[in-house]
Amino acid sequence: MADRRHRDDPGSTGEHDRGGVFRRAGDPGKPDEFERLYRSRESEQRVVGETRRLPPADRVPPHRPPRRRTHAEGREYDGRGIKRRAREQRKRRFRTTAIILLVVLLVAPTSFYLWANSRLERVDALQDYDGRPDRARGTTYMIVGSDSRDGLDDDQIRELSTGRAEGRRTDTIMILYMPRDGDPTIVSVPRDSYVPMPIPGYADNKINTAFADSVCGTDEGGEEICGGPAPLVEAFERASGVRIDHYVEIGMGGFVDLVDAVGGVEMCPEEPMEDPKAGLDIEAGCQEMDGGTALGYVRTRATPRADLDRIQRQREFFSALIQKASAPSTMFNPFRAVPLVTAGTDTFMVDEGDKLRHLASMLMAMRGGTQTTAVPVGETPTLDGVGSVVLWDQARSEMMFDAMREGEPIPEEAMQD
């Protein structure tokens, strides 16, 4: 029915008077929304038997992967909870495995480190005193081989030919010097080096005298001071002007156990060596030395240059020992690494401020190889009341010590065979 109310309205188009006619906005040439809803589909308009053509690639709808199930969707239940319990058991096994791995990777190594660090014997070796040198730019370790028989039973004393001397002395004094850049250097200090004595009542004497616990004196306050690690460190520092950062000492028994823990060390003497006093009898050529043989090898002076040959063998053997101890075949082999740590921590004596990590740093620093040398020797006179001593070469030794104070590599011209 036509809308009579707007028949006379001048704004009306008059099309409302035409029955059954509907006008919609939009392009007349294109179907509108009404036609899309009611027009037949293209597939229904095809003639039966007509060839179906694939649509162009740009008109193919994109591939949509199967939709993952969300929490909003329902879960499948078997009525007895078997699948749910299986999932929970898998989660518990995963958590248990993760905790075990965490314990193995973190807790166990930390506990082992704390246990090993607690086994180190400590001594107050690095003491402050008036005139002590300033801290150098490099790092220095004093390594002392003591002739202490502590820990050796009667059978071992006879087997190793160590004798039964009371107290302790040292025939091995070495400085491991690590510059800021470059390879570390092992510097042997001759035991007969003539240096000022820090023990009251003693004038200049051999440096190993400062270590002998039988050498004692009384200071101005009436306190008795005897030889030991602290006077030895002070004697070297005063004579060289080089500050010592770490102190490491090992006795005869500990040395033997350490060598045996790494499975022996290969050395290649050029001549056969025999010394009943040191319990040594070996042939020339390369051979694997166990702890007992190695101890005799570094102790003997039955060679043409006596003590000078001995200190050369000592630093060469120590370098080879460190290389063997820090090798991957030792560090990653629990059958060697654990006995090595046990033997080392049970026999090493270190300064109060030193930790196991300092020993580990020493090993790791020397893995790349080390140079070996000695404090340059000038003369070897015999002095009344003292005996045969070693006087350092003033110019070359000062060149060496100045490089150590500055943290620089030791110059070649300061090296001593």
Side-chain angles (χ1 to χ4, degrees), residues 4 15 94 96 151 194 221 337 368 411:
R4 300 181 181 274
E15 293 181 351
F94 176 79
T96 302
Y194 194 61

Short mmCIF file of all heavy atoms in Angstrom, two decimals, residues 4 15 94 96 151 194 221 337 368 411:
data_model
loop_
_atom_site.label_atom_id
_atom_site.label_comp_id
_atom_site.label_asym_id
_atom_site.label_seq_id
_atom_site.Cartn_x
_atom_site.Cartn_y
_atom_site.Cartn_z
N ARG A 4 0.19 7.31 1.91
CA ARG A 4 -0.59 8.48 1.55
C ARG A 4 -0.11 9.72 2.30
O ARG A 4 -0.37 10.83 1.93
CB ARG A 4 -2.07 8.22 1.84
CG ARG A 4 -2.61 7.04 1.05
CD ARG A 4 -4.10 6.85 1.35
NE ARG A 4 -4.61 5.70 0.63
CZ ARG A 4 -5.08 5.74 -0.61
NH1 ARG A 4 -5.05 6.87 -1.28
NH2 ARG A 4 -5.57 4.66 -1.19
N GLU A 15 8.45 7.24 -5.52
CA GLU A 15 8.64 5.81 -5.84
C GLU A 15 7.92 4.93 -4.85
O GLU A 15 7.72 3.75 -5.08
CB GLU A 15 10.12 5.48 -5.86
CG GLU A 15 10.85 6.16 -6.99
CD GLU A 15 12.33 5.78 -6.98
OE1 GLU A 15 12.75 5.14 -6.00
OE2 GLU A 15 13.03 6.12 -7.95
N PHE A 94 60.09 -36.05 35.69
CA PHE A 94 60.86 -34.93 35.14
C PHE A 94 61.43 -34.05 36.25
O PHE A 94 62.59 -33.65 36.22
CB PHE A 94 59.97 -34.11 34.19
CG PHE A 94 60.65 -32.89 33.64
CD1 PHE A 94 61.55 -33.00 32.58
CD2 PHE A 94 60.41 -31.63 34.18
CE1 PHE A 94 62.18 -31.88 32.07
CE2 PHE A 94 61.04 -30.52 33.68
CZ PHE A 94 61.93 -30.64 32.62
N THR A 96 62.00 -34.90 39.37
CA THR A 96 63.01 -35.66 40.11
C THR A 96 64.33 -35.67 39.35
O THR A 96 65.40 -35.48 39.93
CB THR A 96 62.52 -37.09 40.35
OG1 THR A 96 61.29 -37.06 41.07
CG2 THR A 96 63.56 -37.88 41.14
N GLY A 151 104.60 -37.67 58.45
CA GLY A 151 103.75 -38.53 57.64
C GLY A 151 104.45 -39.74 57.09
O GLY A 151 103.79 -40.61 56.50
N TYR A 194 123.22 -15.61 49.61
CA TYR A 194 123.68 -14.83 50.77
C TYR A 194 122.80 -13.59 50.89
O TYR A 194 122.87 -12.67 50.06
CB TYR A 194 125.14 -14.45 50.57
CG TYR A 194 125.83 -13.94 51.81
CD1 TYR A 194 125.96 -14.73 52.94
CD2 TYR A 194 126.38 -12.66 51.83
CE1 TYR A 194 126.62 -14.27 54.07
CE2 TYR A 194 127.05 -12.18 52.95
CZ TYR A 194 127.16 -12.99 54.07
OH TYR A 194 127.82 -12.53 55.19
N GLY A 221 111.53 -6.92 72.20
CA GLY A 221 110.46 -7.09 73.17
C GLY A 221 110.58 -8.36 73.98
O GLY A 221 109.69 -8.67 74.77
N ALA A 337 91.96 -37.57 39.23
CA ALA A 337 91.69 -36.23 39.76
C ALA A 337 91.41 -36.27 41.26
O ALA A 337 91.93 -35.45 42.02
CB ALA A 337 90.53 -35.59 39.01
N GLY A 368 99.74 -23.68 29.70
CA GLY A 368 100.25 -23.29 28.38
C GLY A 368 101.75 -23.40 28.25
O GLY A 368 102.29 -23.13 27.18
N PRO A 411 113.39 -10.27 31.04
CA PRO A 411 114.20 -10.16 29.82
C PRO A 411 115.11 -11.38 29.63
O PRO A 411 115.55 -12.00 30.60
CB PRO A 411 115.02 -8.88 30.05
CG PRO A 411 114.30 -8.14 31.13
CD PRO A 411 113.65 -9.17 31.99
#
